[in-house]
Amino acid sequence: MSTLPLRASSAPQIWPIPGLARLGGFLMLIVDTFADAQQSMREAHKKYPYAGI
């Protein structure tokens, strides 16, 4: 029984800048969502100051 010789293909060279930009965009999305939630909580607290007690 014979087997075919295995050849590993060369890994493509990935330029890290698009990956970093994508990661930065994702982190900014999380920060923006958190800031928006904080702002909504501040506005709700101004409108209903004793609701959380």
Side-chain angles (χ1 to χ4, degrees):
M1 180 175 194
S2 65
T3 59
L4 296 173
L6 295 176
R7 292 186 181 202
S9 62
S10 62
Q13 295 295 327
I14 299 173
W15 202 41
I17 300 299
L20 291 176
R22 192 175 305 131
L23 179 63
F26 179 71
L27 291 176
M28 287 305 297
L29 175 70
I30 291 173
V31 169
D32 187 43
T33 303
F34 183 74
D36 189 35
Q38 289 284 10
Q39 182 65 27
S40 296
M41 286 192 302
R42 275 190 224 105
E43 290 172 1
H45 183 69
K46 283 181 184 177
K47 190 171 183 180
Y48 307 108
Y50 300 109
I53 297 176

